[in-house]
Amino acid sequence: MASVGGGLPTGTVTFLFTDLEFSTRLWEEHPEAMRVALAGHDQILRDTIDAHGGQVVKTTGDGFHAAFATATDGVGAALDAQLALAGASWPEVGVLRVRMGLHTGVAEIRDGDYYGSALNRAARLMSVAHAGQVVVSQVTEELVHDFLAAGVESVDLGEHRLRDLASPMRVFQIVHPDLERTFPRLRSLDSFGGNLPVQ
């Protein structure tokens, strides 16, 4: 697996996108406490990404975009981050809940940044998840399925149409025994069974 300047992996890359939910409300209600909490959130994300050999590509206010040379590293970082976040709490703010999405595909790099459909798919996956949830594409799930740690499993959430994507994606949730398991339906445009046509 090659990398470019700054250590960004090239070739087939697993992208992780994260987003802190309800952050606008928390900033409005607890601005001083959120400065401390967000710094803690950022440190947790950076530490877990680094521990799994990932590279932070950029931050988006209260979210992260990271790249990993392998899907197992990406999923491992996501789960470890969720576990660390679930175990951390800040006065006034409480536990910060983050949604995460991962997709694996061929990386296109220009001027030290990624572009292309793999990136878009990872971002769209994250956008349909709920706070505390880790969702992955079928491509990523197939790469990690046989390497999940004891007690960790992947749950098939079915096919979903995601905004701006031409074809539906089969989405899986990565479930850890020490993390929340049950979430509302994904926020996709719609979902359907195997033989039902897209409207």
Side-chain angles (χ1 to χ4, degrees):
M1 175 60 64
S3 63
V4 296
L8 295 179
T10 60
T12 301
V13 177
T14 295
F15 294 108
L16 165 68
F17 278 81
T18 77
D19 177 57
L20 173 60
E21 287 209 324
F22 316 123
S23 61
T24 300
R25 175 174 58 80
L26 290 170
W27 274 109
E28 287 291 323
E29 294 176 354
H30 311 289
E32 292 302 321
M34 268 300 285
R35 286 187 179 88
V36 176
L38 192 61
H41 159 277
D42 290 357
Q43 193 63 55
I44 286 172
L45 266 294
R46 289 186 185 280
D47 287 349
T48 51
I49 289 167
D50 183 64
H52 288 271
Q55 293 291 325
V56 175
V57 180
K58 62 180 67 171
T59 58
T60 55
D62 52 16
F64 275 70
H65 165 209
F68 298 84
T70 71
T72 51
D73 284 336
V75 170
L79 290 177
D80 282 353
Q82 291 287 25
L83 287 165
L85 288 165
S89 183
W90 291 270
E92 297 184 58
V93 175
V95 174
L96 296 180
R97 290 168 52 78
V98 175
R99 54 183 175 169
M100 302 183 182
L102 299 101
H103 174 64
T104 305
V106 176
E108 300 174 35
I109 297 182
R110 185 169 69 248
D111 297 328
D113 199 1
Y114 290 106
Y115 295 87
S117 62
L119 198 70
N120 297 334
R121 287 174 177 267
R124 291 293 177 252
L125 273 169
M126 180 273 292
S127 71
V128 301
H130 295 276
Q133 191 173 30
V134 177
V135 296
V136 303
S137 65
Q138 183 171 2
V139 175
T140 302
E141 193 277 339
E142 289 174 350
L143 291 169
V144 304
H145 184 84
D146 293 333
F147 303 98
L148 294 173
V152 178
E153 59 184 302
S154 62
V155 177
D156 189 348
L157 301 181
E159 290 192 310
H160 293 263
R161 286 197 309 143
L162 308 185
R163 186 166 60 87
D164 298 330
L165 300 186
S167 57
M169 292 183 69
R170 183 166 291 277
V171 181
F172 292 79
Q173 178 182 328
I174 304 299
V175 177
H176 189 284
D178 295 327
L179 293 172
E180 186 176 351
R181 181 188 183 98
T182 303
F183 296 91
R185 192 177 185 85
L186 293 179
R187 299 178 173 119
S188 55
L189 299 177
D190 64 9
S191 59
F192 52 92
N195 297 321
L196 298 178
V198 177
Q199 296 298 317

